[in-house]
Amino acid sequence: MASVKLLELLLCSFFLVGCHSSQSSQQVSSPPHPKGEPSPLGEDNLSFPWSRLRLPRYIIPLHYHLLLQPNLTTLRFTGSVQIQIDVQNNSNWVVLHSKGLQISKATILDHNFAHLTDQVLPVLHNPSHEQIGIFSPRVLSSGQKYFLYIEFGAEFAEGFYGFYKSTYKTSKGETRTLASTHFEPTSARMAFPCFDEPSFKASFSVQIRRSPEYISLSNMPIVKTVELHGGLLEDHFAPSVKMSTYLVAFVVCDFKSVTATTASGVKVSIYAAPEKWEQTHYALEVAVKMLDFYEDYFNIPYPLPKQDLIAIPDFQSGAMENWGLTTYRETSLLYDPLTSSVSDKLWVTMVIGHELAHQWFGNLVTMKWWNDIWLNEGFARYMEYISVEATYPDLKVEEYLLHTCFAAIGHDSLNSSRPISSPAENPTQIKEMFDTVSYDKGACVLHMLRHFLTDEVFQSGIVRYLRKYSFGNAQNQDLWDSLANTCSEEEFISGKHCYNRDQSNKNAYLFAGEHLDLTAIMNTWTLQKGIPLVTVTRKGSRLLLRQDRFLKTVLPSDPQWSSLQQGFLWHIPLTYRTDTSSIIHRHLMTSATDSIHIGEEASWVKINSDMTGYYVVHYEDDGWDVMAKVMRENHTALSYRDRTHLIHNAFQLVTAGHLSLNKAMDLIGYLQLEKHTVPLLEGLGYLEAFYHLIEKIDELELTKNLGRYILHFFRAVIDQQTWSDSGSVSERRLRSEVLSLACHLNDPPCVERANQHFQEWLQSNGKLNLPTDVAETVYSVGAQRDHGWNSLLHTYKISLSEAQKHKILQALTSSKDTEKLQRLLQLGLEGKVIRSQDLSTLILMVARNPKGHHLAWNFVKKNWDTLVEKFQLGSFCIRNILIGTTGQFSSPDDLTDVQLFFESISEQASQLRATQIALDNVKKNIRWIQRNLETLRKWLNEQIK
């Protein structure tokens, strides 16, 4: 009841603006930075009062009262915002963010809602910093609270940020329009003027005006709806909890929903376009289970009364964690049992797990600044695995964690990588922080930390962290202190979150008999880039250890090697086991060289047990021969994770020039005995990667021989596969991967069976539901003929299943007809048949095709400006386009071409880390070809004699 009264009071203030004026005035005072006193004579005589990218700290927002009226016909919106502010230094200026908004009125009221002046307040704009400055002739006094009132309007944003338009088509061909938001990281300022930085947390009261045929959604539930003149309705949402601006969200649409309630009474709803309503039920089940799990795991109640999840037809990223209103790409939320594969099901489950983890990690506790975005994204990525393993154990999500860490290593072993915690100031730099390092490396470092501390200590530490910083902001050090129970004496006396510093022994943990400084350890993983390579040499009863920085683009014999190694040292929590015991031994390596005693009787030792540590291991001298022998003779003596880890490390060391390709190929010779999907697919994946690299260069005979070898070596596995959806999740995943590769290699039995299924599908006019695990393979084989390709494109246009459309698009891009590939790229650019949100994926799909390899790159070069306009510089779409289209270039001519293009866009390229990653990848591929092509040729000739 009190909340409703407060809402009514604030609503009244909207209509009081302009009715009162201040009777007193004070001398003009300039803001703390920069120095200088602006003249109050008018906008022409004023200069913008702030020169920094980050806002001044002398004015703090407390509460926003936001009124919006979107018009889905004119595609414009108008609004007003009243911000209660706390002034902490005398000033005449309020500086805040605004981008692309037309400000029609600005005024300031005192705590009694009386105007400070009857003048129209000057509003100055600094577009390069996306800031506005509002000048008050009367000084705003330190220690006082005021209300800043602004009226504004704008067109819906083009693209996927801010308050933007989305559309969908009904089965009858009618186009429907909706309006949705995406603010992270710096786009709330495109929807309303605000203090758009994560540490400026405030509460929000939102009102949205709409036509009766639509509904509106926001972070909080609707408390009342008022009927206005002209038939409009005005929804009033309950005041929110304290949160950052990037988490505010609102949607106006005509969607339908399904609803359920969690054990603690939280109302959960899934929204989607009306004809996709049937695809929402699985997401509802997952969301309820996940919220129940997280409330129990974090031991902190979900702080809002409801959680909405909505599938937006046009959405650039996978999903967004807006508090109480999470938004999703349709493929990330909708599940159709008839067309979605088991991999699609796992994806939906993991994305929901990720976004709901953010309701605690990111929303309840937020990083102070974007340099520590990994505290949000690394935790949410890692919690995907913890939550899904607990709630859906049959999905075997733990089998995918290794690949998350492998992806991180692939990026982190390039010199163009960055530390987990990195400087980021402008919007482009901030967008680039949402990358493999923040998500995947962040998750893998947390996985290592969890095993280092034990599950119980890790869980209690993060609960302490969440409780201590609830509704506030935190940084790296706060996490380490929470995990180590440290606190100030003042905090200890309060008794809320931690123990006495003496008790906690200054971050000390008893690990292998040593007291450890957790901050010192973790700073080596978050404040320096790269990944360590631990080189192991057996000397009798001892293992000699050496750590270096692992790099795939530079050899130890290269002149720049020593300079790139200088200053790098990690505190590595080593784990290992031998054949003499099942015990996992631990040792903390804190120096460049070290040694451990293992005993004379051990015939082998495996370092980095189950790959819980984030480091690469090289077994020097005959070490790899020993491991290959274990794999051949008794591979089950090692866990499936250890077998997978050995395969991965061996081929990474080949790329880095530390191991011969022959030894890595010999290591995977045991795979004909392998029964577990994960190591089997890891070995197969490297052979497939070599094939895709070589098929794009003029090496027809070698390509043919490698394809023949793969089909021969994995013949038994291929022949065991059924064209169905039966079996466990692991078996179904293996089926999809193996049959897809077999048909790509033109294996006659595979192609024949796929063609048979495709003909049946054609005869049913696309009504036949193919087994979901093999549908993409069937479509891809069928797409090689004109009639099949055209039929698939027609089905793509009318399908209501985004899962099916993704499979069809993959098939369409597998065509060997370059005119068809060109047509697809053009359709993606137009954004009607193929949505703009799918353009970056489409470009990468075409780039993977040997016939589309250079086609995709030339398309990117030709349409660069359009792509940047659509996706924004620094976005993950631009990053994926640059890295993905060049990722399999492997000649000096390709490198020159890429370098010349980056020089032609030097002003933009200089702002992007992605350009350096792309160049590093091409250099890496060139070196791989130079070092390994002849070795592979000889090795294959020996195998297929």
Side-chain angles (χ1 to χ4, degrees):
M1 190 69 185
S3 296
V4 175
K5 288 289 184 186
L6 175 62
L7 205 61
E8 289 171 352
L9 174 64
L10 289 170
L11 178 60
C12 288
S13 72
F14 269 85
F15 301 103
L16 290 171
V17 170
C19 301
H20 300 280
S21 62
S22 171
Q23 299 301 310
S24 63
S25 63
Q26 298 180 30
Q27 292 295 312
V28 174
S29 171
S30 61
H33 176 84
K35 293 180 180 178
E37 188 169 285
S39 165
L41 298 177
E43 287 185 31
D44 293 341
N45 299 76
L46 296 171
S47 58
F48 200 82
W50 192 251
S51 61
R52 298 178 186 171
L53 274 166
R54 295 200 206 180
L55 295 178
R57 305 296 305 180
Y58 62 86
I59 290 182
I60 306 296
L62 302 176
H63 184 81
Y64 292 76
H65 196 96
L66 179 62
L67 172 66
L68 288 163
Q69 184 170 335
N71 188 316
L72 298 183
T73 304
T74 64
L75 303 182
R76 285 187 57 83
F77 65 94
T78 57
S80 59
V81 64
Q82 181 175 277
I83 311 173
Q84 185 183 25
I85 56 175
D86 182 9
V87 177
Q88 301 191 347
N89 279 326
N90 289 350
S91 178
N92 292 88
W93 286 96
V94 180
V95 179
L96 67 164
H97 288 110
S98 175
K99 181 182 179 182
L101 300 174
Q102 292 89 49
I103 308 295
S104 56
K105 183 177 183 180
T107 189
I108 297 176
L109 302 87
D110 65 18
H111 67 281
N112 293 318
F113 298 109
H115 282 265
L116 298 192
T117 175
D118 53 6
Q119 296 177 359
V120 175
L121 297 186
V123 180
L124 272 60
H125 295 258
N126 183 358
S128 64
H129 288 184
E130 301 174 357
Q131 294 171 357
I132 56 173
I134 298 171
F135 177 76
S136 169
R138 177 184 165 190
V139 73
L140 305 178
S141 301
S142 178
Q144 297 297 307
K145 294 180 176 62
Y146 299 88
F147 293 94
L148 173 64
Y149 175 81
I150 306 172
E151 294 178 1
F152 56 91
E155 295 180 353
F156 287 127
E158 290 293 325
F160 308 94
Y161 290 97
F163 197 14
Y164 69 93
K165 177 195 78 167
S166 177
T167 62
Y168 70 93
K169 277 193 173 182
T170 67
S171 57
K172 295 178 180 177
E174 181 187 351
T175 299
R176 301 276 178 86
T177 303
L178 60 140
S180 182
T181 58
H182 185 100
F183 292 160
E184 190 180 35
T186 60
S187 295
R189 63 193 70 173
M190 296 172 68
F192 60 100
C194 56
F195 296 78
D196 200 12
E197 294 176 7
S199 62
F200 284 116
K201 287 194 169 186
S203 54
F204 296 80
S205 296
V206 176
Q207 295 169 210
I208 297 177
R209 292 176 179 172
R210 60 178 172 85
S211 298
E213 66 266 28
Y214 296 105
I215 61 169
S216 72
L217 301 169
S218 189
N219 305 82
M220 299 297 288
I222 293 174
V223 291
K224 69 175 178 179
T225 298
V226 178
E227 194 168 339
L228 305 176
H229 293 298
L232 286 179
L233 301 176
E234 185 175 273
D235 293 327
H236 294 225
F237 295 87
S240 77
V241 296
K242 193 177 176 185
M243 63 184 183
S244 304
T245 47
Y246 78 86
L247 295 170
V248 176
F250 27 90
V251 179
V252 178
C253 63
D254 64 349
F255 285 4
K256 288 179 65 178
S257 65
V258 291
T259 300
T261 305
T262 68
S264 63
V266 178
K267 181 182 176 184
V268 180
S269 301
I270 315 293
Y271 288 84
E275 290 179 303
K276 298 181 179 180
W277 178 80
E278 289 290 341
Q279 301 175 41
T280 60
H281 298 283
Y282 177 68
L284 181 64
E285 173 198 309
V286 173
V288 170
K289 270 192 178 184
M290 288 289 182
L291 277 177
D292 284 339
F293 168 78
Y294 283 133
E295 286 196 319
D296 180 62
Y297 186 89
F298 295 134
N299 197 22
I300 298 172
Y302 175 73
L304 307 186
K306 62 94 174 176
Q307 173 63 241
D308 296 334
L309 301 84
I310 183 167
I312 306 296
D314 298 283
F315 201 82
Q316 182 178 163
S317 58
M320 176 59 207
E321 66 266 21
N322 318 299
W323 217 345
L325 176 56
T326 51
T327 46
Y328 298 76
R329 186 181 277 240
E330 288 183 324
T331 49
S332 300
L333 188 66
L334 304 182
Y335 174 76
D336 177 10
L338 297 177
T339 58
S340 299
S341 68
V342 69
S343 295
D344 297 327
K345 187 176 190 177
L346 176 63
W347 173 250
V348 168
T349 314
M350 291 181 75
V351 173
I352 293 173
H354 182 104
E355 302 311 324
L356 295 186
H358 270 311
Q359 307 303 297
W360 286 264
F361 274 104
N363 299 9
L364 184 65
V365 179
T366 311
M367 73 277 141
K368 281 187 178 176
W369 184 250
W370 301 106
N371 62 303
D372 279 333
I373 185 60
W374 85 277
L375 290 174
N376 287 17
E377 300 301 347
F379 260 109
R381 174 58 53 89
Y382 189 44
M383 290 308 299
E384 292 174 26
Y385 294 97
I386 293 176
S387 63
V388 176
E389 187 174 2
T391 54
Y392 290 89
D394 57 306
L395 290 178
K396 299 290 183 186
V397 72
E398 65 276 8
E399 295 182 358
Y400 291 78
L401 179 58
L402 288 177
H403 296 283
T404 293
C405 298
F406 294 162
I409 292 169
H411 181 99
D412 220 14
S413 54
L414 303 177
N415 193 43
S416 48
S417 186
R418 65 169 182 85
I420 284 178
S421 184
S422 299
E425 293 298 323
N426 65 46
T428 297
Q429 293 168 346
I430 292 167
K431 285 187 185 74
E432 277 214 309
M433 293 294 288
F434 292 79
D435 64 358
T436 303
V437 173
S438 289
Y439 285 76
D440 296 344
K441 182 178 179 179
C444 295
V445 167
L446 289 171
H447 182 60
M448 177 171 66
L449 182 59
R450 181 187 178 202
H451 282 269
F452 176 50
L453 300 178
T454 73
D455 290 358
E456 294 76 15
V457 172
F458 179 80
Q459 184 176 354
S460 63
I462 61 175
V463 169
R464 187 178 303 112
Y465 168 80
L466 289 171
R467 285 181 174 171
K468 181 173 181 180
Y469 298 101
S470 286
F471 303 106
N473 299 83
Q475 52 194 351
N476 270 352
Q477 187 61 51
D478 300 323
L479 177 61
W480 312 145
D481 287 348
S482 296
L483 286 165
N485 284 336
T486 65
C487 55
S488 67
E489 288 305 313
E490 181 183 348
E491 290 168 328
F492 173 62
I493 292 166
S494 72
K496 287 182 179 178
H497 310 290
C498 50
Y499 306 116
N500 176 276
R501 187 174 292 269
D502 293 332
Q503 289 175 302
S504 66
N505 201 14
K506 295 187 177 179
N507 300 351
Y509 273 97
L510 197 63
F511 181 78
E514 303 171 70
H515 286 293
L516 307 173
D517 185 336
L518 189 62
T519 298
I521 293 168
M522 295 312 299
N523 281 349
T524 70
W525 297 98
T526 59
L527 302 184
Q528 66 179 346
K529 66 180 180 179
I531 179 171
L533 168 66
V534 176
T535 301
V536 183
T537 307
R538 177 78 180 266
K539 293 293 182 186
S541 63
R542 300 196 71 77
L543 283 184
L544 306 184
L545 309 171
R546 185 182 78 247
Q547 64 162 292
D548 299 288
R549 181 182 171 200
F550 181 59
L551 285 166
K552 288 193 293 195
T553 49
V554 183
L555 293 172
S557 56
D558 291 340
Q560 65 267 46
W561 172 263
S562 59
S563 64
L564 291 174
Q565 293 291 335
Q566 196 167 353
F568 285 88
L569 181 72
W570 287 265
H571 291 190
I572 307 172
L574 290 176
T575 55
Y576 63 95
R577 62 169 290 245
T578 69
D579 60 322
T580 60
S581 170
S582 60
I583 295 171
I584 294 176
H585 302 275
R586 297 165 176 253
H587 175 76
L588 188 72
M589 184 179 182
T590 58
S591 55
T593 59
D594 204 346
S595 69
I596 50 180
H597 179 81
I598 60 166
E600 295 279 359
E601 63 278 11
S603 60
W604 57 259
V605 58
K606 166 65 175 64
I607 308 287
N608 199 356
S609 297
D610 284 341
M611 201 191 155
T612 53
Y614 184 72
Y615 54 94
V616 176
V617 180
H618 176 36
Y619 301 91
E620 228 171 22
D621 297 337
D622 66 344
W624 280 105
D625 296 329
V626 172
M627 299 317 297
K629 184 171 184 287
V630 174
M631 299 276 261
R632 276 195 312 273
E633 296 178 357
N634 187 21
H635 67 277
T636 55
L638 299 165
S639 70
Y640 84 83
R641 291 185 181 91
D642 277 338
R643 302 194 299 270
T644 307
H645 178 237
L646 284 169
I647 294 168
H648 170 267
N649 278 198
F651 282 104
Q652 291 293 304
L653 290 164
V654 170
T655 303
H658 294 283
L659 189 67
S660 72
L661 180 61
N662 286 348
K663 286 192 183 293
M665 297 295 278
D666 290 344
L667 182 77
I668 62 170
Y670 93 97
L671 283 175
Q672 288 180 320
L673 306 171
E674 183 61 76
K675 300 300 180 187
H676 200 286
T677 296
V678 177
L680 194 59
L681 287 180
E682 185 67 14
L684 181 60
Y686 276 104
L687 296 178
E688 185 177 357
F690 299 160
Y691 184 88
H692 287 312
L693 188 65
I694 294 165
E695 72 174 340
K696 294 180 176 67
I697 61 178
D698 189 22
E699 285 284 351
L700 297 179
E701 189 65 24
L702 180 57
T703 303
K704 181 181 172 184
N705 285 344
L706 180 55
R708 283 171 55 197
Y709 171 76
I710 293 170
L711 290 174
H712 171 75
F713 188 78
F714 291 99
R715 184 78 263 162
V717 177
I718 295 168
D719 290 345
Q720 285 166 10
Q721 305 309 312
T722 60
W723 293 70
S724 68
D725 284 339
S726 62
S728 68
V729 170
S730 297
E731 289 165 344
R732 294 178 65 180
R733 178 184 168 206
L734 181 67
R735 175 186 300 131
S736 291
E737 299 283 347
V738 166
L739 291 179
S740 174
L741 179 58
C743 281
H744 180 75
L745 297 176
N746 293 310
D747 180 46
C750 185
V751 173
E752 182 182 343
R753 187 67 182 272
N755 264 320
Q756 179 186 331
H757 279 286
F758 190 73
Q759 291 307 312
E760 292 170 358
W761 181 80
L762 281 178
Q763 288 163 12
S764 73
N765 290 320
K767 299 289 189 286
L768 177 70
N769 289 310
L770 294 167
T772 59
D773 296 340
V774 297
E776 187 179 305
T777 298
V778 171
Y779 293 148
S780 295
V781 170
Q784 303 313 309
R785 295 177 183 168
D786 288 348
H787 177 59
W789 195 90
N790 290 325
S791 298
L792 285 164
L793 183 59
H794 171 72
T795 302
Y796 182 90
K797 291 176 181 177
I798 63 172
S799 175
L800 290 174
S801 166
E802 289 301 312
Q804 182 186 38
K805 290 176 73 171
H806 182 82
K807 295 175 180 64
I808 290 175
L809 191 61
Q810 187 80 56
L812 292 170
T813 60
S814 72
S815 172
K816 304 300 183 286
D817 185 339
T818 55
E819 289 186 6
K820 288 185 172 66
L821 300 179
Q822 282 277 25
R823 182 181 171 193
L824 289 171
L825 290 170
Q826 193 57 42
L827 288 173
L829 198 63
E830 291 166 3
K832 294 176 182 176
V833 174
I834 300 174
R835 291 181 179 272
S836 293
Q837 68 167 14
D838 298 318
L839 178 56
S840 63
T841 302
L842 169 68
I843 293 169
L844 300 194
M845 288 176 175
V846 172
R848 291 188 194 111
N849 185 334
K851 297 293 185 182
H853 184 39
H854 286 98
L855 195 70
W857 173 238
N858 290 332
F859 174 84
V860 171
K861 291 189 293 183
K862 180 181 176 183
N863 296 286
W864 173 251
D865 290 338
T866 304
L867 294 172
V868 171
E869 189 179 337
K870 280 180 181 291
F871 299 120
Q872 294 197 8
L873 202 65
S875 68
F876 82 92
C877 279
I878 291 296
R879 180 169 63 249
N880 288 350
I881 287 169
L882 288 176
I883 296 171
T885 52
T886 58
Q888 294 208 307
F889 285 173
S890 59
S891 75
D893 287 345
D894 288 333
L895 179 60
T896 301
D897 184 23
V898 175
Q899 287 171 327
L900 287 172
F901 175 66
F902 289 164
E903 287 170 12
S904 74
I905 57 163
S906 58
E907 187 176 340
Q908 294 168 316
S910 63
Q911 301 178 58
L912 297 175
R913 191 176 288 108
T915 54
Q916 292 306 311
I917 296 169
L919 290 170
D920 270 0
N921 273 326
V922 179
K923 292 172 186 174
K924 176 196 70 180
N925 291 343
I926 291 171
R927 298 193 79 147
W928 194 94
I929 292 289
Q930 290 170 345
R931 285 201 298 261
N932 297 300
L933 205 63
E934 291 309 312
T935 304
L936 180 62
R937 195 191 315 277
K938 290 174 185 175
W939 191 89
L940 285 172
N941 286 339
E942 291 173 4
Q943 302 300 313
I944 60 179
K945 281 179 182 176

